[in-house]
Amino acid sequence: LSFQTPNNLTGTIPLEVGHIQGMTHVDLQYQKGLYGPIPSTIGNLVGLQTFSVLFAGPQFGGVIPSSLFTIPTLEWITFQYNEGGFSFPPSI
């Protein structure tokens, strides 16, 4: 799943994103219309290798789900240049 150009995605990331089989990369760039937190179901993406959020809008943020950090194949996490705030969970 890669959205690297502004394509006006709006709303929240649905919980069902964690049920997509075979997803290896999540790359969200320049998505100013996203809001709310990253769903905890993101941790169900057992083959995920990279997760990147760059230049997101002011309403997208919150505590990064701890489930993201339990994915054994995850090699790269990036949160940069976002207007909203992301924070690590207390367990990290």
Side-chain angles (χ1 to χ4, degrees):
L1 177 63
S2 181
F3 297 104
Q4 296 181 348
T5 58
N7 58 9
N8 300 320
L9 289 179
T10 59
T12 60
I13 297 176
L15 295 172
E16 291 79 11
V17 72
H19 303 291
I20 299 173
Q21 297 289 323
M23 187 179 298
T24 57
H25 306 279
V26 173
D27 187 6
L28 299 169
Q29 294 185 29
Y30 302 100
Q31 302 306 317
K32 301 289 184 179
L34 290 177
Y35 58 85
I38 298 167
S40 62
T41 56
I42 202 79
N44 295 338
L45 300 175
V46 294
L48 193 66
Q49 297 171 4
T50 63
F51 187 88
S52 178
V53 179
L54 302 168
F55 302 101
Q59 302 300 317
F60 186 52
V63 177
I64 302 166
S66 58
S67 62
L68 183 64
F69 300 98
T70 64
I71 301 172
T73 54
L74 192 65
E75 298 173 358
W76 185 265
I77 300 174
T78 303
F79 290 89
Q80 290 183 310
Y81 313 112
N82 297 298
E83 294 177 42
F86 289 96
S87 61
F88 287 101
S91 60
I92 299 297

